[in-house]
Amino acid sequence: MLLLDTSGLLCYVYKSEPQHERAVQLLDSTNHSLTHSYVLAEFVALALTRRFPRQATLSFVSDLLENPDIEVTWVDELLHREAVKLLMERLDKTYSLCDAVSFVLMRQRGINEALTTDHHFEQEGFQRLLLP
């Protein structure tokens, strides 16, 4: 199992992203993946900021929610608080709240690999599968 991060999903969906082919290869060869609601929120915001088509972005998120091979964890208060606690313990890092939720989930679920280009995953001891 691998965690799907915002940058990994952007690479998967948009052919203009430098790691598109690798992201497609990795995700299509994985039979079960995990992501969370903060990644989906960040994905929509980032895609729109980068001027990717709104309809395609929202359609992808809708399809992802229906995909039986992708588990979406909905961030509740407890998970949110655990992520904030991690951020408070890592004041020397520039992790986002979305990153921290990913790290907490990955540790809880014993996941070591992330479909991401984000170096923060390596800083936390995880393997990022999309290198710049």
Side-chain angles (χ1 to χ4, degrees):
M1 181 182 291
L2 60 91
L3 182 115
L4 306 178
D5 182 47
T6 308
S7 63
L9 290 176
L10 279 171
C11 289
Y12 181 82
V13 175
Y14 297 107
K15 292 180 181 178
S16 61
E17 291 296 299
Q19 294 290 328
H20 172 72
E21 288 181 25
R22 180 77 175 131
V24 168
Q25 176 190 36
L26 288 166
L27 186 52
D28 288 353
S29 67
T30 302
N31 54 5
H32 192 73
S33 302
L34 175 70
T35 194
H36 55 85
S37 53
Y38 285 12
V39 165
L40 301 182
E42 190 176 72
F43 173 82
V44 171
L46 186 56
L48 296 178
T49 298
R50 292 170 117 197
R51 302 196 185 281
F52 289 124
R54 184 176 181 83
Q55 177 64 45
T57 298
L58 297 175
S59 291
F60 174 75
V61 170
S62 294
D63 291 346
L64 186 141
L65 289 171
E66 300 302 320
N67 188 328
D69 297 327
I70 299 175
E71 178 184 343
V72 178
T73 296
W74 297 95
V75 178
D76 60 10
E77 182 181 353
L78 180 60
L79 181 53
H80 180 95
R81 286 179 180 273
E82 287 181 47
V84 171
K85 181 181 174 200
L86 186 143
L87 291 175
M88 294 297 291
E89 293 168 353
R90 309 282 196 284
L91 292 175
D92 62 321
K93 305 290 187 220
T94 58
Y95 302 162
S96 69
L97 180 58
C98 184
D99 290 343
V101 168
S102 295
F103 303 153
V104 169
L105 276 176
M106 290 176 79
R107 287 198 175 96
Q108 288 176 348
R109 301 288 294 275
I111 299 170
N112 294 314
E113 298 178 323
L115 187 72
T116 187
T117 61
D118 188 344
H119 72 282
H120 292 141
F121 284 79
E122 290 176 328
Q123 289 178 339
E124 262 317 285
F126 301 109
Q127 182 180 2
R128 85 174 143 159
L129 299 177
L130 301 174
L131 300 174

